[in-house]
Amino acid sequence: MTTHPASPAQAPAPPLRLFPTVLHLAGLGVIGAVILTVLSTLLGVGLGLALVFGVGLILLVGFIYGLFATGWFEIARASGLYHLDLEPLRWRGSPRKGFGGWLHSLWRQLGDGRMWRAVANLVIACFMGALVLQLLVMVIRSVAIVFAPLTGVDSVIGPFGVPAAASWAPVVGILGAVLAIAAILGLAVLHRTLTRAIVVPSREAELTEQVRATSAQREGAVRAADVERSRIERDLHDGVQPRLVSVGMTLGLAQQKIDTDPDAAKELIGEAHTSTKAAITELRQLARGIHASVLDDRGLDAALSALAGRSHIPVQLDVRLPEGGVRCRDAEAAVYFSIAESLTNAAKHSRASECRVIVRMREGDVLWVRVEDNGLGGAQIQPGGGLDGISNRVLAAGGTFWLDSPQGGPTSLEVSVPCAS
């Protein structure tokens, strides 16, 4: 069962962490003006120069990337500060390719509500940080007023700008310091409350996302099964079945000639025997494509080594997995068959002279794979094709699939599959 972050309705409230929150707000009070100035400048100047030879468009693109970076930083900051275990903000890529796909990804990112909520939370935190800095200055001034009678002055200016006699200075200073500290702590509590309300997804949003992900996984599993069944039927119909029919016909001819022409019959039986061994080899390869027993017996590293050894083109294998770790069988199976199909496609279509396969276990128990070849490129996902089968199998396992194959090459394929637990 795959674990998910606890929903706001079920998870306990994040800890107060008043002192770290005050430090965060004070820091944002210092750098917040810089962040907001840069973003507002990119937006304002970009809009103003948008029609001047398109110069402003470059600034607007920078504004979108700046928004994404700001939202990513704010989610990471809030998650680390309050131990919220929030999913990092991810760039919303486009399924389209080329320049149009890049523009589409910019448009999709601009409509990402999660990014805008994070940016709004940071803006609020920056203004609160500016207030915290002012209140800290008030605390320092109040402490200084407490010791004003020792300087011999007749009157002092209180923390709120109200003059007071020197004899009342300790009372005024202590009162001002207490009020300023209380306001700082109040802002820290308010920041925690607003962050939880703005950045943390609601229960309804989380359930909707879980339903969407589950539906996508189910659809991917169904499509992967259909593609796999079609592949098996095609391989049986085009390969093993004609060969077995030929074996049967050859044995029939040998049976007819065994009495009249024993030598010809022996030759036909030998031909049938050779065809039978070839059919057995094809069946073994077909069975290996359905289920790799070496994957269960010896693990992913050994299975990939055997796969690379059978490849028609040289394969550089770079597998670095933690030793003695828990086996992720579903993730390993999805990754293995993705690599197998990628190598098959490279051998059949790309005219590549070499391939490189990189396998890593990334943070969060995610099995990551990258397959590269130096072929002609131009690979596309076609319904029912090998790449379609990879994407559906990976999607069914809850992973992600990325393909980059420009005309002229090279082709790069990345797969990330989380380990079920």
Side-chain angles (χ1 to χ4, degrees):
M1 179 173 100
T2 304
T3 58
H4 299 281
S7 64
Q10 296 171 331
L16 289 177
R17 299 178 62 83
L18 293 178
F19 183 68
T21 300
V22 172
L23 291 180
H24 273 236
L25 290 176
L28 290 176
V30 175
I31 67 172
V34 177
I35 297 175
L36 298 181
T37 299
V38 170
L39 290 177
S40 59
T41 300
L42 288 174
L43 178 61
V45 178
L47 291 175
L49 298 179
L51 300 180
V52 182
F53 303 108
V55 175
L57 297 178
I58 300 177
L59 297 178
L60 292 178
V61 170
F63 171 71
I64 297 175
Y65 279 105
L67 285 177
F68 173 77
T70 303
W72 181 90
F73 166 78
E74 177 61 12
I75 290 178
R77 183 189 71 84
S79 181
L81 177 61
Y82 295 124
H83 305 303
L84 294 174
D85 194 23
L86 298 173
E87 186 74 17
L89 185 65
R90 302 187 185 279
W91 184 265
R92 302 186 67 179
S94 171
R96 305 175 187 174
K97 302 297 180 183
F99 183 71
W102 176 69
L103 292 178
H104 186 227
S105 68
L106 290 176
W107 178 256
R108 293 187 64 189
Q109 190 59 47
L110 195 60
D112 187 358
R114 188 164 182 249
M115 179 189 73
W116 284 107
R117 290 195 303 271
V119 171
N121 191 69
L122 182 66
V123 171
I124 295 173
C126 289
F127 282 108
M128 294 173 66
L131 290 177
V132 167
L133 291 177
Q134 295 296 325
L135 291 171
L136 288 175
V137 172
M138 184 180 296
V139 171
I140 296 173
R141 289 184 56 193
S142 298
V143 172
I145 290 174
V146 171
F147 298 97
L150 300 179
T151 62
V153 297
D154 296 331
S155 62
V156 295
I157 302 297
F160 298 102
V162 179
S167 58
W168 285 92
V171 177
V172 172
I174 293 174
L175 181 61
V178 170
L179 291 177
I181 293 174
I184 291 174
L185 297 179
L187 286 173
V189 174
L190 179 61
H191 175 268
R192 166 186 171 275
T193 304
L194 291 177
T195 298
R196 182 172 171 81
I198 297 175
V199 175
V200 178
S202 65
R203 176 62 173 168
E204 291 76 14
E206 188 179 60
L207 289 176
T208 300
E209 178 61 22
Q210 290 182 8
V211 170
R212 186 202 64 78
T214 301
S215 300
Q217 285 183 310
R218 182 179 59 192
E219 180 181 352
V222 172
R223 291 183 59 193
D226 290 340
V227 171
E228 187 69 11
R229 185 179 66 251
S230 298
R231 183 186 69 84
I232 295 172
E233 292 174 350
R234 182 176 63 250
D235 291 345
L236 288 174
H237 184 271
D238 297 341
V240 179
Q241 179 180 333
R243 193 177 296 276
L244 291 178
V245 171
S246 176
V247 168
M249 294 176 63
T250 303
L251 289 176
L253 291 174
Q255 185 179 15
Q256 295 175 6
K257 294 179 179 290
I258 195 168
D259 294 327
T260 60
D261 192 352
D263 293 335
K266 288 181 180 180
E267 184 178 346
L268 289 172
I269 292 174
E271 181 181 339
H273 181 254
T274 302
S275 297
T276 301
K277 291 193 294 184
I280 292 174
T281 300
E282 290 185 13
L283 284 174
R284 285 176 178 171
Q285 293 176 348
L286 181 60
R288 191 182 294 118
I290 300 172
H291 177 74
S293 59
V294 67
L295 185 62
D296 291 336
D297 298 338
R298 300 175 56 193
L300 182 61
D301 196 352
L304 293 180
S305 297
L307 189 64
R310 296 192 303 268
S311 175
H312 296 290
I313 55 179
V315 178
Q316 297 180 16
L317 197 58
D318 184 5
V319 181
R320 301 180 191 178
L321 299 176
E323 297 182 0
V326 179
R327 293 283 304 278
C328 307
R329 299 187 181 277
D330 292 339
E332 289 179 357
V335 163
Y336 173 84
F337 288 112
S338 298
I339 295 174
E341 187 62 38
S342 299
L343 295 180
T344 300
N345 288 342
K348 287 184 177 180
H349 309 297
S350 71
R351 300 182 186 176
S353 61
E354 63 177 359
C355 283
R356 186 183 182 192
V357 177
I358 305 172
V359 182
R360 298 287 188 272
M361 182 66 75
R362 289 189 163 178
E363 184 178 356
D365 291 335
V366 175
L367 196 57
W368 174 82
V369 170
R370 181 179 178 89
V371 182
E372 304 171 341
D373 69 58
N374 61 349
L376 299 178
Q380 294 181 347
I381 299 177
Q382 302 291 343
L387 292 176
D388 189 34
I390 293 176
S391 63
N392 290 324
R393 186 184 289 269
V394 171
L395 180 61
T400 58
F401 168 88
W402 177 81
L403 174 67
D404 182 27
S405 183
Q407 291 293 338
T411 296
S412 300
L413 181 143
E414 288 189 14
V415 168
S416 296
V417 183
C419 290
S421 59

